[in-house]
Amino acid sequence: MKKANLLTLLIVLGMVLGALYGQFLLYGCEEPITGSHWTKTAGDLTLIRPLKLLVIPLIFFSVVAGITRIGDPSKLGRLGIATLGYYFATMLIAVVIGTTLVSLIQPGELPEDVRMSVIAEGQSAFQGDSGLKGKVEGQSMGGAWTNILKQVIPSNVIEEMAAGRPLGLIVFAMMLGLALAAGGSRTQVARDFFDAGFEGLMILIQWVIWLTPIGVFFLLAWTVGKIGMAELIGPLGSYMGVVFVGLLFHMLVVLPLVLWMFTGINPYGFMSKMKPALLTAFGTDSSSATLPVTMETAELEAGCSKRASNFVLPLGSTINMDGTALYEAVAVVFLFQLYGIDLSMSELLIVVITATLAAVGAAGIPSAGLVTMVIVIAAVNGSLESAGLALPVAAIGVILGVDRILDMCRTTVNVWGDAVGARIMTRLAPDDPSTGE
Ligand code: ASP
């Protein structure tokens, strides 16, 4: 059996066994499963931490090596513009799908008594989660953008690395890569160093990747034990259904179509090769932690060039989030429906634009989308101000309980969007066939 197939099989096995064990924990244990449950700690230790350990060095080496390989600034400019164009276009499509579905299906139109009890439960869930409350209070459109700008123009790259903020590091690595490419023979040694360092990291990733089945076992057990499958059929069931359908449509129809249009390759064949990365995204809830697996799979299994992937994947894991964008649009419109506030066409347009921007602002970590959603709510509230209507921020407590499952699904779509981007950009930046670089 091929190594990639064996790995996929083991990851799926880990997930299934984890989900079963999670059910057992749910019904077999007296105490409730919390964030400090041992299964969560075990998942962190066996998968999340080893992957996160690789992310910052990987971004640094891969982006520098990728940029020096492309070298020519005009080629790089074209790749940069095409990549950003791809990110924004696909995120916008995702948001439009989400907004259309949630407006048509209206999952927030529930019987009055159910509505009231869902809202009351949500408010108390929000009040009880002091961590979320703190994060949410710091969110605003202006604040989020200043924050992104500050990350894009960092003043201390070591600080960015230490804080695990990838954006500033990517900018620095791109500048350094450009300078090393411009240095000609004077900087050859440094270029070789980054190339070899990157290859070394890829070997390390190929070792660490075998931890994935064990890690997803624990993480799935924790997730299933914590939420339980019963939520799926509760009053939030149709809201979750809309998110699932939207994500599936974007993942299985829209992105494959885009990939096929630009490359002519069989998108489902490509998807099948990317399985280890997609499953890891599903199990870890984090595009950032999945990045090592995404890069390994894209370059070694799925035919993406190093030149394209080294640029598109690290950047994509922090700013390209189709799944998050779609989810934020559905969640916000759903909450307004639940609170009995009708949104007009112009407010839906605000949702489309701000959900795209809020997804860009969300970090590739668990629940990031839940927090940046506040930006979308604030923007719509601003437009409703003259009518004296507003959705309280505490409303996000309503969807808190089911966020983990949706996070797993949207993170998978986020990573899939990055992979499709890398495969498309491979046409613009193929590797040199003689050296493979
Ligand atoms: N967990 C998502 C990711 O890492 C972000 C989100 O919360 O939507 O891609």
Side-chain angles (χ1 to χ4, degrees):
M1 189 188 279
K2 260 185 78 186
K3 250 170 56 183
N5 291 342
L6 177 65
L7 182 65
T8 307
L9 189 76
L10 289 176
I11 298 177
V12 173
L13 199 68
M15 282 181 167
V16 173
L17 293 179
L20 290 177
Y21 185 56
Q23 283 290 314
F24 165 77
L25 284 177
L26 185 67
Y27 297 110
C29 286
E30 304 277 282
E31 314 124 46
I33 312 281
T34 63
S36 53
H37 192 259
W38 70 267
T39 44
K40 172 83 167 68
T41 313
D44 270 352
L45 288 174
T46 50
L47 187 62
I48 304 282
R49 290 175 71 91
L51 283 179
K52 273 175 126 180
L53 180 66
L54 292 172
V55 169
I56 293 294
L58 180 66
I59 290 179
F60 190 37
F61 277 87
S62 67
V63 176
V64 175
I67 301 283
T68 55
R69 274 177 190 156
I70 301 170
D72 180 355
S74 73
K75 267 193 203 157
L76 203 62
R78 237 181 305 143
L79 180 66
I81 291 172
T83 304
L84 290 181
Y86 166 82
Y87 289 164
F88 279 96
T90 49
M91 278 195 277
L92 258 180
I93 298 175
V95 175
V96 170
I97 295 172
T99 314
T100 310
L101 277 179
V102 70
S103 306
L104 289 178
I105 299 174
Q106 306 203 322
E109 297 298 329
L110 297 169
E112 196 56 20
D113 51 331
V114 180
R115 229 161 58 85
M116 288 306 156
S117 79
V118 169
I119 290 176
E121 266 178 46
Q123 303 245 350
S124 71
F126 182 79
Q127 299 307 336
D129 192 329
S130 53
L132 178 69
K133 254 171 82 183
K135 282 190 213 151
V136 157
E137 273 152 18
Q139 295 290 317
S140 73
M141 194 59 149
W145 284 96
T146 324
N147 198 1
I148 291 184
L149 280 178
K150 278 191 184 152
Q151 286 188 47
V152 170
I153 311 172
S155 60
N156 181 342
V157 73
I158 307 288
E159 207 171 280
E160 300 303 300
M161 286 185 181
R165 284 191 293 263
L167 223 46
L169 177 61
I170 291 175
V171 172
F172 174 70
M174 281 166 61
M175 305 305 289
L176 184 63
L178 274 176
L180 293 182
S185 57
R186 276 180 302 155
T187 48
Q188 183 61 48
V189 177
R191 287 201 297 274
D192 290 345
F193 166 76
F194 277 101
D195 260 350
F198 173 65
E199 295 302 334
L201 279 167
M202 290 302 271
I203 295 174
L204 191 49
I205 291 166
Q206 286 173 51
W207 296 341
V208 170
I209 220 169
W210 291 99
L211 293 173
T212 319
I214 308 169
V216 294
F217 168 82
F218 291 120
L219 291 172
L220 250 98
W222 176 68
T223 304
V224 172
K226 189 162 163 259
I227 357 186
M229 295 298 181
E231 295 278 10
L232 294 176
I233 48 167
L236 297 184
S238 48
Y239 152 68
M240 296 176 77
V242 173
V243 179
F244 285 139
V245 170
L247 289 176
L248 274 180
F249 185 71
H250 192 70
M251 180 160 175
L252 297 179
V253 179
V254 176
L255 288 174
L257 208 62
V258 173
L259 179 61
W260 176 77
M261 269 165 41
F262 283 98
T263 63
I265 67 166
N266 174 356
Y268 302 106
F270 177 67
M271 185 183 276
S272 162
K273 291 189 183 129
M274 287 304 302
K275 271 188 314 240
L278 301 177
L279 292 172
T280 307
F282 186 78
T284 59
D285 270 13
S286 166
S287 338
S288 205
T290 308
L291 181 64
V293 188
T294 316
M295 291 193 71
E296 201 261 1
T297 321
E299 293 181 13
L300 303 184
E301 304 292 337
C304 298
S305 71
K306 288 183 183 160
R307 287 181 177 177
S309 333
N310 284 14
F311 178 75
V312 177
L313 295 176
L315 198 59
S317 72
T318 100
I319 66 177
N320 181 39
M321 302 206 174
D322 293 9
T324 301
L326 187 150
Y327 151 84
E328 294 206 12
V330 175
V332 169
V333 177
F334 163 73
L335 290 175
F336 275 99
Q337 287 170 355
L338 190 71
Y339 276 68
I341 303 175
D342 280 332
L343 298 184
S344 67
M345 211 50 204
S346 64
E347 276 118 26
L348 289 178
L349 199 66
I350 295 178
V351 171
V352 168
I353 296 167
T354 49
T356 310
L357 300 179
V360 173
I365 54 173
S367 295
L370 185 72
V371 177
T372 60
M373 183 193 304
V374 179
I375 294 174
V376 187
I377 296 178
V380 180
N381 277 349
S383 153
L384 291 169
E385 211 171 4
S386 55
L389 296 169
L391 181 73
V393 167
I396 59 175
V398 170
I399 50 176
L400 197 61
V402 296
D403 190 58
R404 173 95 192 171
I405 286 199
L406 297 180
D407 200 359
M408 295 161 84
C409 302
R410 66 186 189 250
T411 308
T412 311
V413 177
N414 290 346
V415 169
W416 173 230
D418 296 340
V420 169
R423 189 62 188 82
I424 292 175
M425 298 309 152
T426 296
R427 287 198 67 184
L428 272 187
D431 284 334
D432 186 341
S434 57
T435 59
E437 290 182 351

